[in-house]
């Protein structure tokens, strides 16, 4: 190649030439000081660079400012590079000599890195079209914008777009941050954009742009949109995003991320709904010119253009020069370009076009060309043709690896596929996907890439197994083509290894193929009928089955099977086999890992819909299928009936369907965990189900198997109640408290709004986010659907606006605002829509009621003196056109017809928060801070007393509603509870501990079988309705202590039942009650303690009274828990059912006794009250008595105590930060010293060997040696200041090798006791609670911590072993037995959790280790 030399003497050119390397290698922070010293940047400019969030963003900002500073500044910049970046210094210090080869190398490097497709084999230069597109792209040099390249399918849009980017000046001047190409394709399902496929495209782009953030992939379209918006703004502001083959405006809106974008599409209007300052449309001609077509034929056939036969021109005109058609026909002529063949294909092209009816002439030309090529393949190689037809069973836009095709075609090795596909590629019937695109596409297909790497290393599909012995599987050096790295997790390892064909390659090394969408459409619609497809689907399914012997969870991730196996099973008529997969926790885990929660839930929905269609088909009269008449030579039309083949089985057994629904419910309940967190063990999650559940039973079997084979660690919930998970779905769609929720009229979708100013649309069955509506500038107070137009959503806000949104038919991505109604200046608190969908009523904080038109925003009715207080809620009746408003303590009824006040009700005593009409509109229900629900008749239309008043246990009621059939009433409260009442008799049916914050709103699903609630705890939950009464379960007070001990190997718990103010002693895993004790005389129990030897129980009251009681001496045993009898056999609660009262003397405590705690040897008891008095008691049978008063002026806030295990010493703290050690024998002070802070320590602990005392003060941890205590000295040995918030918990390991701190910053820090160095920081990424308690195992190998969930960690290195999720969010403590095999805690709802370690031979009814 001749060299053209260009001298870049200008410093700007040198910066441009080296920009890619500078951005890649430079750290701006290392040169800024030099540039400041030389006066290149001032302090403001320096700060602007430093405040950028990433290294790349800082370099980009520096390069944006530097060119305007002049040549001297450039010289200073080069000098600053000399020491820290010598290579960059050498590149920039002299003029750069650039050759044409350098220019092409630069272009190649940029385009390959951006996944821009290479030139096709039959490339033809189209300079006019290319230059027209480049001119449009140059318009994006200074601003964001979109260029739309549109033209007919097969017109070469992709090749033109790629060719336009092969210009180094365009790349350097306009897109110095690079080019990123993303092929979209026809990602449609049933005429709508497939949200799962779109999300995968966006995830792939996120992974390419931000590889470091790949482990935290966005889990929904909105999150992906926000991530791309942030990435382009911070790191790629001058990059070009290319979206190839976009079919829908919905897709374009999803990628509207304020960047420079080039789109290829068949529609010029594809970008009409994107929010961008500039849009340029570049139309292209339909195809090649005659000269270009002849040039292609000449190149392929090696015949000069002038010597080409006349048929060459005829083929051009018949095919309209479409590049795809020309390429395919040219490929057919290439092997043997004899004149007769030219004539043959020319005649064939004309004949094929005549056989097609309908469509445009261009479409007929394309399909005719495709038909000729496929017919030629069938003639030349029938076997390859049969294989090629099988592409018809794949979804649109398939990128298939040779692995997948090998399974379908029955080949032993993927290399056989590549040999076969060479013939197809030669005829331009498919194209090979570049390796770089495949690598990113497949590498980012998993939602949890970091976890995937862990699986490859350990062979375990759950959290990292506990290495208790040397039986942990070794890392494989080779991976199987068809069997996953986890194949030897279960079953016969030897046979699995023999079946697996191991190759030292990864899935990225296999060839990948794709078809043009027109070729795929031809196969599906014109060539392959439904019976053939059924056989092909069965072939693929059986192929995978053969390779894994029906153990589908062992299949290797080939980038396809985990996402689409369910689809192929249904299409193959194998619904029963899909049911087996959907009820296999191992498959569920693999599916979640490689496809994600949305895809899994969609499989459940597809299964239910398929089963329903089949059942409906069975109920229809049988009819003989008649094929439609067709023209000679035309292929049979595609059968589009709901159930495509009569040969497919109808529906699965009802019991199997119920099992599938149970697993779907399990997945849906925990969807928020599975969506947000990347390392959730499905088996562990299932072990929290009720023990009668088939989900629990399978999980227990798998846990035992893994525990036996891999030394895995699992814990099961022993006392799970059927009512614990009565909700069907939990959704966390917002970042702040959720104010309102509503269900669409068709039941498919739900909408919620929040204090985070957003309105979010999500799938009601799966919880997956569909759209986010942004525009409100303050809290969004309420949202609802238009009852007459389910595509419209109305929201109102504290910003004084009501906004109307429309999400159209796609229902998959962002909705658009179509109307903004602005009231006066008062915040709008509530809204409701008329049944006909034409009007909207709103109430504001000034007490005004307004009604306006939803079509134009005109006011219909404004009542400025509706209320004196803010309007808290409003409702519009389904019949009679009534509007209800609540404000202050009043309820008002208005006629929307006459625009007048009809009635006012005054019976409430405190603020009324909500109201709702019955379905018949004959009743109105209201809820209030006076803790009552009131039901009013709307028929009398005059002031009247309520029909009934319902109490709600002394808590403020915030929302209420009738079910659509008026069968039940539901109310939500400020305590997080929901109550369900009978709709006619008003009797209380049952209560739900629904949320961990205020229940702000509720909404019924139109079928009346379920309802949604939303809360300040950031969640929305879906609940099933039962019209029969439930027995409310017993709850325990989490504010009090819970003590446990092991008596002759049997678990014993003591906990307070706040319902009857008794402390109950429970034994065994069944938690049978053996005694129930109270103080008597109406005293309220405030705190209690159970001695570890199970001999005494101490109760303390709110008035300072303290009783030491002897526990029951009965020795009982049973098969299940070591005692005889059942709960019904036990005595009913009484003042004292158990042993004697050992001590009930006058107590020095005058206030509430907050703490009672036994010493390790149970000889002493310490108590502390909020009046500052601390007392030590001596425990000695009937001689138990007050021993000494330790203090009468110490802290009343935290009062932590710690006992020494090897001597009778007690450590206590004061509010001023002092620590004291007392001798329990005589009460003398051994030593007293300052903690080093002015506040009282929060956490206090003594090492097991008694050599260290540790206390946390604020964010600091202090450690002292006890060696000098007897001489009255406390020597500080360490001070840890690494947490960012209060240290709330602290523990030493029994062997003294480790200690751990837990903080309100949601992290645990593990330290080496020998040198106090940090071993590991364990961050609770998605945790909401503080780390309130921690306990090491007696063997010092495990650490358990508790916040809003229970986590088990390896004490050696801080590796997370297992996570247990709680029903409520907050707990106070964790109790563990001496064997570290049984654990207990109580959550914020008062639910008791009893956990037991799973052992290989575990008997569920026995908690002995």
């Amino acid at each position: 190649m001749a060299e053209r030399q260009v001298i870049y003497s200008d410093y700007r050119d040198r910066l441009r030439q080296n920009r890619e390397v500078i951005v890649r290698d430079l750290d701006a922070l290392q040169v800024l000081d030099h540039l400041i010293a030389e006066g290149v940047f001032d302090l403001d400019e320096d700060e602007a660079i430093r405040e950028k969030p990433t290294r790349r963003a800082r370099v980009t900002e520096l390069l944006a400012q530097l060119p305007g500073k002049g040549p001297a500044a450039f010289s200073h910049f080069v000098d600053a590079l000399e020491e820290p970046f010598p290579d960059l210094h050498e590149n920039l210090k002299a003029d750069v000599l650039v050759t044409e080869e350098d220019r092409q190398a630069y272009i190649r490097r940029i385009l390959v890195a951006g996944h821009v497709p290479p030139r096709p084999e039959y490339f033809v230069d189209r300079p006019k079209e290319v230059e027209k597109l480049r001119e449009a792209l140059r318009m994006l040099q200074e601003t964001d914008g979109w260029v739309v390249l549109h033209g007919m399918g097969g017109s070469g849009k992709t090749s033109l777009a790629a060719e336009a980017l092969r210009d180094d000046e365009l790349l350097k001047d306009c897109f110095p941050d690079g080019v990123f190409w993303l092929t979209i394709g026809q990602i449609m399902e049933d005429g709508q954009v497939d949200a799962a496929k779109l999300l995968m495209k966006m995830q792939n782009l996120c992974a390419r742009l931000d590889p470091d953030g790949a482990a935290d992939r966005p889990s929904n379209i909105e999150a992906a949109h926000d991530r791309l918006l942030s990435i382009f703004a911070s790191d790629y502001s001058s990059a070009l995003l290319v979206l190839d083959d976009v079919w829908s405006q919905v897709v374009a809106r999803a990628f509207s991320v304020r960047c420079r974008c080039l789109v290829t599409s068949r529609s010029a209007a594809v970008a009409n709904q994107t929010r961008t300052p500039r849009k340029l449309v570049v139309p292209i001609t339909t195809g090649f010119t005659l000269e270009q077509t002849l040039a292609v034929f000449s190149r392929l056939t090696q015949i000069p253009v002038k010597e080409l036969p006349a048929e060459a021109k005829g083929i051009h005109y018949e095919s309209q020069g479409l590049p795809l058609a020309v390429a395919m026909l040219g490929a057919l002529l290439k092997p043997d370009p004899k004149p007769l063949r030219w004539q043959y294909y020319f005649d064939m092209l004309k004949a094929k076009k005549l056989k097609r009816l309908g469509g445009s002439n261009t479409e007929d030309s394309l399909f005719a060309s495709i038909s000729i090529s496929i017919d030629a393949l069938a003639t030349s190689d029938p076997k390859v043709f049969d294989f090629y037809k099988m592409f018809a069973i794949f979804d649109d836009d398939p990128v298939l690896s040779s692995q997948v095709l090998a399974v379908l075609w029955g080949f032993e090795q993927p290399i056989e596929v590549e040999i076969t596909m060479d013939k197809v590629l030669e005829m331009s019937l498919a194209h090979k996907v570049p390796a770089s695109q495949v690598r990113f596409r497949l590498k980012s297909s998993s939602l949890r890439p970091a976890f995937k790497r862990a699986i490859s290393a350990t062979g375990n599909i759950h959290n990292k197994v506990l290495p208790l012995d040397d039986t942990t599987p070794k890392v494989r050096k080779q991976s199987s083509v068809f069997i996953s790295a986890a194949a030897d997790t279960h079953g016969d390892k030897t046979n699995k290894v023999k079946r697996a064909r191991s190759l030292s390659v990864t899935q990225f090394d296999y060839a990948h193929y794709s078809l043009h969408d027109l070729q795929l459409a031809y196969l599906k619609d014109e060539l392959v009928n439904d019976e053939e497809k059924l056989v092909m689907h069965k072939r693929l399914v059986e192929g995978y089955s053969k390779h894994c012997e029906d153990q589908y969870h062992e299949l290797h991730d080939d980038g396809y099977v985990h996402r689409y196996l369910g689809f192929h099973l249904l299409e193959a008529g194998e619904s029963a086999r899909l049911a087996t997969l959907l009820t296999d926790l191992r498959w569920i885990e693999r599916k979640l890992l490689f496809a994600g929660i949305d895809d899994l839930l969609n499989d459940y929905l597809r299964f239910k819909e398929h089963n329903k269609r089949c059942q409906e088909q069975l109920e229809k009269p049988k009819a003989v299928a008649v094929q439609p008449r067709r023209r000679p030579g035309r292929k049979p039309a595609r059968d589009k009936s709901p159930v495509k083949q009569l040969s497919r089985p109808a529906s699965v057994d009802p019991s199997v369907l119920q099992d599938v629904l149970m697993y779907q419910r399990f997945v849906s309940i925990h969807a928020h965990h599975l969506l947000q967190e990347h390392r959730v063990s499905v088996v562990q999650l299932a072990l929290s189900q009720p023990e009668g559940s088939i989900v629990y039973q399978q999980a227990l079997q798998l846990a035992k198997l893994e525990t036996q084979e891999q030394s895995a660690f699992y814990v099961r919930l022993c006392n799970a109640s059927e009512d614990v998970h009565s909700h069907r779905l939990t959704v966390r769609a917002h970042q702040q408290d959720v104010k309102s929720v509503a269900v669409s009229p068709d039941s498919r979708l739900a909408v919620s709004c929040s204090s985070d100013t957003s309105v979010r649309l999500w799938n009601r069955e799966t919880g997956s986010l569909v759209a986010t509506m942004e525009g409100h500038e303050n809290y969004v107070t309420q949202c609802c659907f238009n009852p007459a137009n389910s595509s419209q959503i109305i929201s109102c806000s504290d910003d004084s606006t009501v906004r109307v949104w429309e999400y159209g038919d796609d229902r998959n991505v962002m909705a658009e605002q179509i109307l903004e109604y602005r009231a006066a200046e008062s915040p709008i608190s509530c809204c409701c829509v008329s049944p006909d969908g034409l009007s909207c009523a709103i109430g504001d904080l000034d007490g005004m009621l307004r009604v306006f038109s939803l079509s134009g925003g005109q006011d219909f009715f404004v009542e400025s003196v509706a209320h004196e207080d803010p309007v808290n809620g409003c409702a519009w009746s389904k019949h009679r056109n009534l509007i209800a408003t609540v404000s202050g303590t009043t309820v008002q009824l208005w006629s929307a017809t006459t625009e007048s006040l009809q009635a006012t009700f005054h019976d409430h005593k405190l603020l009324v928060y909500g109201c709702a009409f019955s379905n018949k509109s004959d009743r109105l229900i209201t809820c209030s801070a006076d803790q009552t629900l009131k039901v009013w008749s709307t028929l009398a239309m005059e002031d009247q007393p309520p029909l009934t008043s319902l109490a709600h246990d002394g808590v403020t009621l915030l929302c209420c509603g009738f079910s659509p059939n008026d069968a039940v009433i539901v109310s939500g409260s400020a305590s997080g509870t929901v109550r369900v009442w009978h709709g006619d008799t008003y009797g209380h049916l049952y209560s739900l501990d629904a949320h961990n914050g205020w229940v702000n709103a509720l909404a019924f699903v139109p079928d009346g079988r379920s309802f949604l609630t939303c809360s300040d705890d950031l969640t929305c939950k879906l609940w099933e309705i039962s019209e029969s009464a439930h027995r409310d379960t017993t709850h325990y007070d989490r504010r009090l202590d819970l003590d446990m001990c092991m008596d002759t190997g049997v678990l014993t718990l003591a906990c307070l039942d706040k319902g009857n103010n008794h402390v109950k002693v429970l034994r065994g895993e069944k938690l049978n009650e053996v005694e129930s004790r109270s103080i008597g005389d109406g005293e309220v129990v405030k705190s209690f303690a159970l001695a570890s030897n199970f001999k005494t129980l101490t109760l303390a009251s709110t008035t300072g009274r303290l009783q030491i009681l002897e526990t029951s001496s009965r020795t009982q045993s049973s098969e299940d828990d070591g005692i005889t009898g059942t709960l019904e056999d036990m005595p009913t609660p009484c003042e004292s059912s158990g042993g004697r009262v050992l001590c009930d003397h006058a107590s020095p405590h005058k206030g509430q006794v907050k703490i009672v705690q036994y010493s390790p040897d149970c000889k002493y008891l310490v108590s502390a009250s909020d009046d500052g008095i601390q007392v030590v008691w001596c425990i000695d049978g009937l001689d138990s008595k007050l021993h000494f008063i330790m203090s009468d002026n110490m802290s009343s806030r935290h009062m932590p105590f710690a006992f020494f295990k090897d001597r009778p010493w007690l450590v206590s703290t004061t509010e001023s930060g002092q620590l004291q050690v007392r001798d329990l024998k005589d009460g003398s002070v051994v030593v007293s010293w300052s903690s080093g802070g002015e506040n009282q320590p929060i956490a206090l602990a003594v090492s097991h060997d008694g050599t260290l005392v540790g206390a946390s003060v604020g964010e600091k941890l202090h450690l002292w040696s006890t060696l000098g205590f007897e001489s009255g000295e406390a020597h500080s040995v360490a001070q840890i200041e690494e947490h960012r918030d209060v240290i709330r918990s602290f523990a030493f390991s029994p062997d003294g090798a480790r200690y751990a701190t837990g903080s309100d910053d949601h992290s645990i820090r593990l330290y080496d006791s020998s040198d106090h160095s940090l071993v590991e920081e364990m961050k609770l990424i998605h945790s909401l609670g503080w780390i309130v308690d921690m306990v090491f195992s007696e063997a010092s190998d495990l650490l358990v911590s508790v916040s809003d969930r229970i986590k088990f960690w390896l004490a050696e290195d801080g590796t997370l072993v297992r996570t247990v999720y709680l029903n409520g969010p907050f707990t106070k403590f964790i109790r563990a037995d001496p064997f570290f095999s049984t654990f207990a805690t109580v959550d914020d709802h008062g639910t008791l959790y009893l956990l037991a370690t799973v052992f290989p031979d575990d008997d569920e009814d026995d908690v002995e280790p």
Side-chain angles (χ1 to χ4, degrees), residues 564-631:
Y564 293 106
L565 182 58
F567 161 74
H568 290 292
L569 284 170
L570 287 180
E571 293 297 314
E574 298 281 357
S575 57
R577 193 180 294 189
L578 177 57
T580 301
L581 280 187
L582 295 177
T583 55
D584 185 343
L585 292 176
R586 297 166 299 178
W587 170 257
I588 291 173
E589 184 127 19
R590 298 291 286 182
K591 176 87 174 180
L592 285 168
L593 179 64
F594 295 113
I597 180 66
D598 284 350
D599 210 65
L600 175 61
L601 289 172
N602 284 334
D603 271 0
Y604 285 109
L605 294 180
R606 280 193 290 264
F607 176 83
K608 287 199 302 182
E609 292 168 359
H610 172 84
N611 197 67
K612 181 180 178 181
R613 288 197 303 266
C614 291
Q615 194 65 37
E616 292 173 351
Q617 189 74 10
L618 275 180
E619 295 172 357
K620 292 180 180 179
K622 291 186 178 180
V624 179
V626 179
Q627 289 288 344
R629 296 183 62 184
R630 54 186 174 88
R631 290 179 178 271

Side-chain angles (χ1 to χ4, degrees), residues 510-554:
Y510 297 110
H512 287 73
Y513 304 94
S514 181
L515 270 63
H516 194 283
D517 59 283
L518 293 175
Q519 294 168 332
L520 188 62
Y522 182 86
L523 287 177
K524 290 184 174 185
D525 296 336
E526 303 290 333
L527 193 61
V528 182
N529 62 38
D530 287 340
E531 284 293 346
E532 290 176 305
K533 290 177 186 175
L534 176 63
V535 174
M536 294 173 184
H537 282 292
K538 284 181 176 290
R539 178 172 178 144
L540 179 64
V541 169
E542 292 303 324
Y544 277 119
S545 175
K546 173 185 175 183
H547 286 297
C548 67
E549 295 187 2
D550 287 334
Q551 301 299 309
Y552 291 103
H553 62 279
E554 297 177 355

Side-chain angles (χ1 to χ4, degrees), residues 724-762:
V724 169
H725 293 312
S726 57
H727 63 288
R728 294 293 306 272
L729 178 69
T730 302
V731 178
R732 186 176 176 184
H734 295 275
Q735 302 303 314
Q736 296 182 32
D737 50 310
V738 188
K739 295 296 187 182
S740 177
V741 67
V743 182
S744 64
D746 62 6
S747 301
R748 290 180 53 201
L749 302 172
V751 64
S752 56
C753 61
S754 166
S755 296
D756 63 11
T757 73
S758 70
V759 181
R760 303 210 172 203
L761 187 68
W762 38 278

